[in-house]
Amino acid sequence: MRYAMAVDTKKCVGCSDCVVACQTENDVPVGFCRDWVVEVTDGTYPQLETEIRSERCNHCDNSPCVRCCPTGASHYAEGGVVLVTHDECIGCGACIASCPYDARYPHPDGYVDKCTFCLHNRVEQGLDPACVSVCPTKCMYFGDLDDPNSPVSKVLKTRKFKTLIPEAGTKPQLYFLI
Amino acid sequence: MKSRRDFIKISALGLGATAVAAGSAQALFGSPLFGNKNGNTESGTPLRRTPTYCEICFWQCAGWVYKDGDGNIKKITGNDDDQHCNGRFCPRGTGGIGQYMDEDRIKTPLIRTKVNGKDTFKEASWDEALDFIANKMQQIKRDHGPECVALFTHGSGGAHMGHMLKAYGSGTIAAPSFAQCRGPREVGFLTTFGDIIYSPERIDIRDTRCMVLIGSHLGENMHNGQVQEMSDAIDKGATIITVDPRFSTAASKSKFWLPIKPATDLALLLSWINVLIENGWYDKEYVEKYTVGFDALKEHVKTFTPEWAYGITTIDPNIIRETAREMFNASPSVIINPGRHVTWYGDDTQRMRAVAILTALLGSWGRRGGYYKPEKLHLPNFPVPPFPEPQRKPTDAYKGIYPLANEVVANGLCDATIPSVDRECNLRAWIVNGTNLLAAFPNQKNTLAAIDALELLVVIDTMPIELTGYADVVLPECTYLERYDMIRNSGHRQPNIALRMPAAEPKYNTKPASWIAKELAGKLGLAAYFPWKDMEELLDWQFKELGTSLEEMKRIGVKNYPREVDDLYFTPGEDVVFNTTSGKIELYSSDMESEGFDPMPVYTPHEEPPEGFYRLNYGRAPMHTFSRTANNPNLTALMNENVLWVNPKVAKLWNLTAGQRVKLKNQDNVISTFSIKVRVTERIRWDSVYMVHGFGHNNTKLTRAHGRGINDTELITRVKVDPVMGGTGMRGNFVTFITEFNEDGKEAEA
Ligand code: SF4
Ligand code: SF4
Ligand code: SF4
């Protein structure tokens, strides 16, 4: 099993509903976030292109954060999902520094937090992650890459896609449809 | 101007509006809902949910409020059966919990009083506050007649307050959503098709093959169902054509972006009409069967060629032809999106007429992928005595002007409040619910003059907005998550109803508008008009008339009904009688003509920015609904101020750098109270600047919103009123930058 997510940049309008839904679903304190929206504009008026994408932890196959965690709090869970065991985290911040995507934040309660792909609270119950299920443009696809019929497998078969900072060698599992 | 009505900051209380235990509300709802709120819950216990419909914007999506075992509200999600949201709320709705949590809410009733010659608010009990209002209202009724009390409303509370006001004898009720927003579009379509667009809009985006956005920035304005359906349409390969001087989010998703010169949209629309007719790219059978005035229209648009429009709009004539062809190819499944906020230049009804005419030529009204016919249930009213017949109609306040307005013109009522000798009745009292009129109306000076003339200003709101500072009485409404409201009965592809019920008791000493209206009516001797014990009794009665019950609705939240008439679209060859003077779609409008207006739209040039000035354009951000969300903790975490979009060429000229703060000065030398951060971006033309509306709040009690960004409304001092229906055109204002300024709002001496 290999969980992954794809975000369609042709449909995402940058509304940030995914950010708010994640906060309320996962008790992320106001002022912090596990996911965020990026806008990139190229060109000169009126020859322009703007890409908008919802970003989060890439649940990398080759995660620098897991490698550098001194306590083993950062680990791979079911389906390759990268998680932090709060009780084991000492809040040293090594993982925050090592993540090329800046996906982690220090939770005020003293541990490091980030996107969990909603593994325990939703995915294990057969639900989509909160961000995927709220998105008004339905631009996000989630599922198991080992299952050819999962929404994410299907959309990656038919669409062009990219990953972020592939040169970092992290093998990210968050795909952007372009 | 020294005013009787000094602005009072609610924070000036000294006492500190203390939280009053919410227990008093228990009796009001009388429901076992909260019975087990202290029951033990282990973590992991499934959350319980109650239905609501969202109040963060007018779209009113139906959803679920989830609570943990301790009764704490945790999250809000969409109801899968709801046609407004299809199970997905927009960011504002998802963040609606912040409105409930906001610690800056108004917490108890307040009455204006004088201490040592200075105006201040004193905390009051509900009894005191409502007695004060009732006495004043009785006095105004005796001295001037009940019609001199007006209600301005934007939101669900309006139904309750409106019922009270009608019982009192006044029909003077208006919503700024007409003349400050969508009015021109309704009148433009009414005069053409004999019917209006409604909310949610009757446009069939889901099945469209081509949608034109002209001045609508869908995706930044999160009209939920529309955004969702646009995304579906893109998936299905629909062509999106966006006309906008700014490279909007929608423009970035579009096959065609037409970077039009601001204020020239009507020229583009006319030339599209020209191209369709000259090339025979229109639905001949439809035009023949359903419309009148085609020959006159053909003659009228003869000279409006793409080359003519090029000189005005700066849009390449070939692109005008290509996009017209694209629309025709998709017809009748094509939508020229009528938008919502369309009060721009004062000739807006005419521009919307052009949109309606294009719609008719393409045969998309009454067709799949174009415009459908919504169906709505007839909602029976709980029996009450007949309302007294008002002696004066609300339109008497602006007699002889705005002849084609089909709803009450809110700014007409505002103007009629300023004493004038040639008016038989000036308005004496305003009750304002859920709208910050100082931000909704342009020309604040005018609004303040009207307020100054009032004998009574009652503001009913959840938050201390600018307007509350001018009130005689402030009534704290509880949020939508803490109350019942009227049944949401909306027209859609299928008729449907939704329930809002309290998920929690009202915090602080706040009350629902339904309770406020009933109590006030009691004090006015009008209890007979509110014969129900409480909202539960009223709702249950109505639901039973509709074949359901309060009990069932609490479980399902939303109920969809089959259509009574199978007329979502016209059937092929169907004979249709339109509700216009001729019974046909009027390309040539007889109503416009008989009122002395152009029967077919004519382009007139609008003012251009003077040297060194830029047109002030404003719009929406997806995570905010104007003032309503400006202090919401969840949503301000996403965006807590507006920024000023400036083209790099302009930035270079003025030596502006990204992130620098500037103030703005408009053509009438009005300087913004606060400053704004510059965003240097290629996404905007060099002749205009852009900001999101709804920021720059001046009430210090709004701890997250005060002083954040600029309030565009204070710079909109020049208003172009639409003579057809009274719309307040707001896009003819020009601003320049002030880079050196003092904190107090004055420009630094040069
Ligand atoms: S909710 Fe969807 S459309 Fe909105 S920002 Fe997130 S991914 Fe984009
Ligand atoms: S998958 Fe879950 S945790 Fe990750 S960003 Fe989405 S909602 Fe947040
Ligand atoms: S569109 Fe958003 S804010 Fe408006 S009613 Fe729906 S969820 Fe609420």
Side-chain angles (χ1 to χ4, degrees):
Chain A
M1 176 159 354
R2 175 64 253 196
Y3 285 123
M5 191 185 283
V7 180
D8 190 346
T9 63
K10 296 285 180 224
K11 293 201 291 178
C12 172
V13 293
C15 70
S16 309
D17 204 1
C18 45
V19 180
V20 191
C22 176
Q23 286 170 330
T24 57
E25 181 74 36
N26 296 306
D27 276 327
V28 177
V30 170
F32 297 94
C33 55
R34 289 181 177 185
D35 53 349
W36 60 93
V37 177
V38 171
E39 177 205 309
V40 187
T41 297
D42 285 317
T44 315
Y45 193 100
Q47 249 64 56
L48 291 166
E49 255 179 65
T50 291
E51 181 178 290
I52 302 174
R53 47 177 199 260
S54 167
E55 295 185 1
R56 60 191 48 59
C57 167
N58 284 262
H59 297 279
C60 310
D61 261 350
N62 181 23
S63 310
C65 54
V66 172
R67 222 176 312 123
C68 78
C69 177
T71 66
S74 279
H75 65 283
Y76 297 105
E78 180 197 355
V81 177
V82 175
L83 294 184
V84 183
T85 309
H86 296 166
D87 291 349
E88 289 171 20
C89 173
I90 54 170
C92 71
C95 54
I96 296 182
S98 78
C99 174
Y101 308 101
D102 203 12
R104 295 171 163 238
Y105 72 93
H107 193 284
D109 288 350
Y111 53 84
V112 168
D113 191 43
K114 63 166 206 64
C115 166
T116 60
F117 267 175
C118 291
L119 183 66
H120 296 319
N121 53 338
R122 295 185 60 97
V123 172
E124 282 172 1
Q125 275 98 66
L127 300 167
D128 270 334
C131 53
V132 175
S133 73
V134 81
C135 174
T137 67
K138 290 176 235 150
C139 76
M140 285 184 277
Y141 303 83
F142 181 81
D144 178 5
L145 285 182
D146 292 339
D147 170 4
N149 288 319
S150 72
V152 67
S153 300
K154 285 210 287 215
V155 77
L156 289 179
K157 235 173 279 157
T158 56
R159 291 281 302 272
K160 271 205 266 184
F161 60 82
K162 65 174 181 188
T163 55
L164 297 180
I165 328 181
E167 61 277 16
T170 54
K171 298 193 184 142
Q173 297 305 313
L174 178 59
Y175 298 88
F176 293 95
L177 307 177
I178 48 177
Chain B
M1 182 178 69
K2 179 77 189 108
S3 155
R4 175 186 77 79
R5 193 179 293 276
D6 291 328
F7 179 87
I8 317 176
K9 300 184 183 82
I10 287 184
S11 58
L13 270 174
L15 301 160
T18 41
V20 172
S24 57
Q26 190 93 38
L28 168 66
F29 294 105
S31 139
L33 178 68
F34 309 113
N36 52 4
K37 90 183 200 343
N38 294 321
N40 296 328
T41 326
E42 292 152 23
S43 71
T45 305
L47 302 173
R48 294 173 304 146
R49 65 181 198 183
T50 48
T52 190
Y53 56 87
C54 182
E55 183 77 1
I56 308 293
C57 89
F58 67 90
W59 204 264
Q60 299 194 318
C61 299
W64 299 105
V65 187
Y66 285 83
K67 284 170 293 177
D68 66 15
D70 296 327
N72 300 311
I73 297 179
K74 301 301 287 183
K75 62 171 180 176
I76 309 172
T77 65
N79 185 319
D80 289 339
D81 293 330
D82 181 34
Q83 297 173 77
H84 293 223
C85 79
N86 309 300
R88 292 162 188 260
F89 267 19
C90 88
R92 298 161 300 158
T94 307
I97 186 170
Q99 192 181 88
Y100 166 73
M101 295 297 203
D102 197 328
E103 70 288 354
D104 291 342
R105 284 166 58 175
I106 314 172
K107 300 185 174 79
T108 197
L110 303 169
I111 299 179
R112 174 178 294 263
T113 177
K114 273 214 182 332
V115 175
N116 302 330
K118 244 191 104 211
D119 278 14
T120 185
F121 279 130
K122 75 167 186 218
E123 292 189 354
S125 68
W126 278 97
D127 242 356
E128 272 175 279
L130 295 177
D131 277 337
F132 182 97
I133 298 168
N135 287 338
K136 261 271 158 24
M137 283 177 73
Q138 298 290 33
Q139 185 196 322
I140 291 170
K141 190 184 218 168
R142 267 195 315 272
D143 297 350
H144 311 287
E147 308 84 357
C148 295
V149 179
L151 169 67
F152 295 92
T153 160
H154 194 216
S156 304
H160 311 287
M161 298 312 294
H163 185 84
M164 182 278 301
L165 205 66
K166 284 183 209 153
Y168 166 78
S170 171
T172 317
I173 302 171
S177 54
F178 179 72
Q180 280 62 56
C181 195
R182 62 186 166 76
R185 145 196 126 174
E186 307 296 28
V187 177
F189 274 70
L190 197 58
T191 48
T192 311
F193 293 100
D195 204 354
I196 62 167
I197 307 282
Y198 302 106
S199 308
E201 284 74 9
R202 60 198 295 178
I203 43 184
D204 208 8
I205 305 179
R206 190 181 64 187
D207 290 325
T208 201
R209 292 174 54 213
C210 175
M211 178 160 70
V212 181
L213 297 171
I214 181 155
S216 160
H217 51 338
L218 217 48
E220 285 158 284
N221 54 356
M222 283 306 289
H223 299 158
N224 196 348
Q226 288 195 25
V227 174
Q228 295 189 14
E229 292 195 13
M230 178 166 83
S231 185
D232 293 346
I234 291 174
D235 254 352
K236 288 195 260 174
T239 300
I240 311 290
I241 300 168
T242 297
V243 183
D244 202 318
R246 192 174 60 93
F247 190 60
S248 62
T249 299
S252 76
K253 312 281 175 208
S254 299
K255 179 163 171 200
F256 295 92
W257 170 43
L258 280 54
I260 195 168
K261 180 175 168 187
T264 65
D265 310 74
L266 185 49
L268 174 66
L269 290 163
L270 289 170
S271 84
W272 270 336
I273 295 174
N274 167 292
V275 174
L276 293 185
I277 293 181
E278 291 300 315
N279 293 286
W281 294 344
Y282 60 93
D283 190 330
K284 299 190 182 77
E285 212 177 301
Y286 186 98
V287 167
E288 172 89 1
K289 190 170 171 61
Y290 296 129
T291 72
V292 287
F294 180 76
D295 293 339
L297 178 69
K298 184 171 179 179
E299 187 56 34
H300 177 67
V301 298
K302 224 182 195 118
T303 54
F304 303 145
T305 59
E307 284 68 23
W308 166 82
Y310 173 54
I312 299 170
T313 61
T314 72
I315 303 296
D316 179 346
N318 293 324
I319 295 287
I320 297 180
R321 289 200 176 83
E322 202 181 332
T323 45
R325 175 84 222 187
E326 193 85 28
M327 292 179 220
F328 176 61
N329 286 347
S331 67
S333 298
V334 49
I335 297 165
I336 321 294
N337 194 310
R340 256 191 102 80
H341 176 76
V342 290
T343 46
W344 302 346
Y345 308 117
D347 59 355
D348 306 301
T349 306
Q350 293 290 8
R351 190 181 67 252
M352 297 318 293
R353 275 267 302 147
V355 168
I357 290 169
L358 270 174
T359 303
L361 292 175
L362 294 162
S364 64
W365 180 270
R367 297 289 189 66
R368 180 182 295 278
Y371 286 75
Y372 61 79
K373 183 169 180 187
E375 194 180 297
K376 191 174 177 169
L377 290 186
H378 170 71
L379 196 61
N381 286 323
F382 200 99
V384 294
F387 292 129
E389 192 62 43
Q391 299 298 304
R392 285 173 290 223
K393 295 194 298 287
T395 46
D396 292 353
Y398 44 90
K399 242 191 200 131
I401 44 178
Y402 319 141
L404 290 173
N406 63 317
E407 290 180 39
V408 179
V409 178
N411 44 299
L413 298 186
C414 179
D415 293 345
T417 309
I418 301 169
S420 133
V421 275
D422 56 5
R423 214 183 336 258
E424 149 212 13
C425 165
N426 295 302
L427 300 185
R428 308 286 169 158
W430 291 1
I431 301 172
V432 185
N433 179 214
T435 169
N436 187 8
L437 289 184
L438 281 167
F441 288 144
N443 195 352
Q444 288 191 341
K445 223 166 114 193
N446 191 65
T447 314
L448 287 171
I451 289 173
D452 200 37
L454 286 171
E455 290 174 27
L456 175 68
L457 174 60
V458 180
V459 175
I460 307 170
D461 216 300
T462 59
M463 296 301 297
I465 46 177
E466 273 72 37
L467 193 66
T468 47
Y470 295 92
D472 294 299
V473 185
V474 180
L475 300 179
E477 194 181 12
C478 61
T479 69
Y480 68 107
L481 298 174
E482 303 159 294
R483 68 186 195 226
Y484 282 108
D485 259 310
M486 295 301 195
I487 296 171
R488 188 201 77 186
N489 178 25
S490 64
H492 217 288
R493 292 181 176 105
Q494 263 180 274
N496 62 90
I497 51 171
L499 166 68
R500 171 184 291 160
M501 68 177 289
E505 300 167 42
K507 277 194 183 186
Y508 316 114
N509 190 18
T510 65
K511 298 282 188 194
S514 58
W515 180 92
I516 299 171
K518 190 174 190 300
E519 286 298 302
L520 185 55
K523 291 185 187 293
L524 289 164
L526 304 168
Y529 291 93
F530 290 80
W532 45 86
K533 185 170 115 266
D534 53 19
M535 283 300 289
E536 296 204 331
E537 183 180 327
L538 170 64
L539 291 173
D540 194 45
W541 183 91
Q542 282 188 308
F543 282 133
K544 290 205 166 118
E545 292 284 311
L546 298 172
T548 172
S549 65
L550 181 58
E551 198 271 321
E552 183 189 37
M553 290 302 293
K554 281 183 180 178
R555 267 185 291 113
I556 59 178
V558 166
K559 196 172 173 87
N560 292 308
Y561 290 77
R563 283 180 79 93
E564 215 152 78
V565 192
D566 185 18
D567 61 351
L568 192 61
Y569 311 114
F570 298 166
T571 50
E574 180 182 342
D575 289 321
V576 183
V577 179
F578 296 85
N579 193 20
T580 54
T581 309
S582 60
K584 301 257 186 188
I585 300 171
E586 299 202 348
L587 303 176
Y588 184 103
S589 168
S590 49
D591 285 350
M592 288 290 238
E593 187 175 42
S594 61
E595 293 296 347
F597 303 116
D598 293 324
M600 289 174 295
V602 176
Y603 170 75
T604 37
H606 300 296
E607 288 100 313
E608 310 255 338
E611 179 87 35
F613 281 75
Y614 304 87
R615 187 180 298 272
L616 174 62
N617 281 335
Y618 54 86
R620 307 284 307 266
M623 57 291 277
H624 281 289
T625 308
F626 319 134
S627 312
R628 193 169 290 192
T629 54
N631 203 61
N632 178 312
N634 298 68
L635 300 177
T636 49
L638 298 174
M639 176 182 184
N640 68 357
E641 62 182 336
N642 53 2
V643 295
L644 188 72
W645 294 37
V646 178
N647 182 280
K649 286 200 189 92
V650 177
K652 196 159 165 230
L653 197 67
W654 286 83
N655 227 345
L656 302 176
T657 48
Q660 174 182 354
R661 300 199 81 93
V662 295
K663 286 196 173 186
L664 296 177
K665 179 166 82 176
N666 80 355
Q667 72 282 335
D668 297 327
N669 282 318
V670 172
I671 298 173
S672 62
T673 310
F674 302 112
S675 62
I676 190 168
K677 251 190 218 161
V678 170
R679 174 187 182 185
V680 180
T681 173
E682 290 287 352
R683 293 177 62 188
I684 181 138
R685 264 176 80 106
W686 49 87
D687 52 5
S688 44
V689 293
Y690 172 83
M691 68 173 78
V692 169
H693 170 77
F695 288 87
H697 286 272
N698 204 359
N699 195 325
T700 50
K701 191 63 187 165
L702 298 170
T703 52
R704 278 173 295 273
H706 176 255
R708 302 281 180 155
I710 284 184
N711 176 357
D712 54 323
T713 311
E714 66 180 353
L715 299 168
I716 301 176
T717 50
R718 187 190 289 166
V719 183
K720 298 281 175 196
V721 176
D722 190 331
V724 179
M725 46 59 72
T728 50
M730 308 188 205
R731 299 246 165 117
N733 288 267
F734 309 107
V735 294
T736 190
F737 311 100
I738 298 177
T739 49
E740 313 255 314
F741 52 85
N742 303 322
E743 289 308 315
D744 67 357
K746 293 210 184 66
E747 192 174 351
E749 294 299 322

